[in-house]
């Protein structure tokens, strides 16, 4: 059994080394060019990072009073930008909190208005 596992590991490593890596894949393996992060003792946070391939992610989480007014919940908002296959930047913004979540981006479909039954 150990011989079989060792054989499989050696074959997987050999295959991985034989597959050519494109310059785009090589850039994705690089660490973040810029990374900033802030946290506090209440769970609130903010972070931002930029990668070599042009991806930018920023997000912040902050406390807001809950509906009952007896405590707090964590609300989150952020933005992600990356370079699409056509070379143009694609940006998505999002918010999530006690009233639900919303995502927006020019590449996302627009949902129809919700009609509530009376």
């Amino acid at each position: 059994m150990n011989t079989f596992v060792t054989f499989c590991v050696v074959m997987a490593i050999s295959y991985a080394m034989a597959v050519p890596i494109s310059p785009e894949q090589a850039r994705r393996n690089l660490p973040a060019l810029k990374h900033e992060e802030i946290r506090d003792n209440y769970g609130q946070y903010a972070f931002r990072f930029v990668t070599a391939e042009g991806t930018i992610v920023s997000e912040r989480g902050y406390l807001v009073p809950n509906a009952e007014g007896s405590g707090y919940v964590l609300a989150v908002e952020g933005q992600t930008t990356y370079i699409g296959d056509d070379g143009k930047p694609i940006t998505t913004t999002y918010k999530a909190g006690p009233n639900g979540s919303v995502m927006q981006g020019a590449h996302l479909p627009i949902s129809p208005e919700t009609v509530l039954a009376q």
Side-chain angles (χ1 to χ4, degrees), residues 2-116:
N2 287 339
T3 305
F4 178 72
V5 172
T6 304
F7 175 76
C8 290
V9 169
V10 169
M11 290 305 293
I13 292 171
S14 299
Y15 177 74
M17 292 175 65
V19 175
I21 296 176
S22 70
E24 180 66 25
Q25 290 172 325
R27 274 197 305 272
R28 288 187 179 173
N29 291 331
L30 294 173
L33 297 176
K34 186 174 185 180
H35 180 251
E36 302 166 342
E37 187 170 348
I38 300 171
R39 296 186 178 273
D40 71 7
N41 294 334
Y42 302 104
Q44 300 179 108
Y45 66 92
F47 69 81
R48 181 175 191 269
F49 66 85
V50 179
T51 66
E53 76 224 18
T55 300
I56 303 169
V57 177
S58 61
E59 181 177 294
R60 73 182 190 110
Y62 53 95
L63 296 174
V64 295
N66 64 9
E68 295 82 33
S70 60
Y72 294 90
V73 295
L74 188 68
V76 176
E77 62 184 36
Q79 180 174 337
T80 302
T81 302
Y82 64 95
I83 306 301
D85 293 336
D86 59 358
K88 296 179 182 176
I90 298 174
T91 301
T92 305
T93 58
Y94 55 90
K95 289 184 180 185
N99 297 326
S101 62
V102 176
M103 284 188 116
Q104 295 177 330
H107 64 289
L108 298 174
I110 299 173
S111 63
E113 292 292 322
T114 304
V115 178
L116 301 175

